[in-house]
Amino acid sequence: MSELAPLIEDLAFILVLAGIVTIFCKKFNQPLVLGYILAGFFASPHFNLLPNVVDTANITVWSDIGVIFILFSLGLDFNFAKIKSIGGTALIAAVTELTGITLLGYACARLLGWQPIDSFFAGAMLTMSSTAVVSKTFEELGLLKERFTQFTFGILVLEDISGIIMMVMLSTIAAAGAAISGTEMLGSIGELAFFLIICFVCGIFFLPTFFRKVSRYLTSETLLIFSLGLCLSMVVLATKMGFSSALGAFLMGSLLSGTAFTETTKKLLTPVKDLFSGIFFVSVGMMVDPALIIKYALPIAVLTAALIIGKTIFSSLGVLLAGKDLQTALCCGFSLTQLGEITFIVASIGAALKVTSDFLYPVFVAVSVISIFLTPSILRHADKVSGWLLRNLPARLLRLLPQPDEAPASDEQRSA
């Protein structure tokens, strides 16, 4: 009888374990991402009460595929029409938040004694919230139709773009070595710009025309296979040119978002993305080492506090500066108080390329797990906090703040 491959044993174990843990997370109203991370910890050598994964190298390969599909899916959701529909609110809020949180995170990291490069990326990684966690939490709490959610998702899109820029920066610094100069950085930015222009020209003029001409021959199965083939081809091309695989996946997703088959592709991709992204989050959980958490307890506590307090303040301030009322601003701010999947990707790329220190990855995994766990509770208190502020802030200050948008008058009211 033939011997079963270790990969199949590992997949059977982690998928069943992940299924059981996520059921409990659903029962206790916690995000599924948290369940995957916990399942990964239970399957890791750091937890001895259950069997451990046999071949971690294979799981790493599968998790890399998960990163690709997560970014591909984000790209499919990214289009300029979506950003334009929310006006300048998301842009003003995102710039305010990104600037404030990056500076706050950098200052905290420097006070902890970290090197400048680690401090910079620590501050930047604190800016990236989780689209998956936010959307799941909104759905579970029945908030998807609330007015503030469109602004929140707009900010998340811009945060994802900043994460892509960080990946490019990591690849550039790694390729140039420690002695990177301004000229080398400008050269890399020029190469990236040329690469993006070529890709977008091909995407604008070739892909929509191609899909229109072959639309009658595209079955669901063919569309899925062809889309995944295009995604992986762009990943290969981006890697060959010295950029990250995540950038290639995101770019192909954004190119396909301009075709007539975007929504169909997203629906077909969902189970594939769920499988591989679940394995990715399980692999993240396998990196959770209690010994390291104890060792870096102070940085984890400091960065978690900086994340929750800083996100609430700077995100809310940005939305206020964009002209929205206090309640809308606070709801947006409370929604973004967690670290997301892009943070893991950036941290793992930084560690793999030896640009950042190895301890950054487990520290940010711990911060993310804590913040994800707290997200539903924090969001539930947004209305209470905004109501308390509206009752207790000085009337003079309240008059200076933007007021809630008035609902448009009905035809009957206008004719009265």
Side-chain angles (χ1 to χ4, degrees), residues 50-72:
L50 292 175
N52 301 140
V53 167
V54 177
D55 191 345
T56 55
N58 278 327
I59 299 299
T60 301
V61 173
W62 281 58
S63 71
D64 289 342
I65 299 174
V67 171
I68 290 171
F69 289 149
I70 289 172
L71 269 296
F72 183 52

Side-chain angles (χ1 to χ4, degrees), residues 25 35 77 79 96 101 105 138 172 177 184 190 203 247 249 271 319 323 328 346-347 377:
C25 283
D77 278 324
N79 56 72
T96 304
I101 294 293
F138 282 170
T172 302
E184 289 169 332
L247 172 65
V319 177
T328 298
V346 173
S377 298

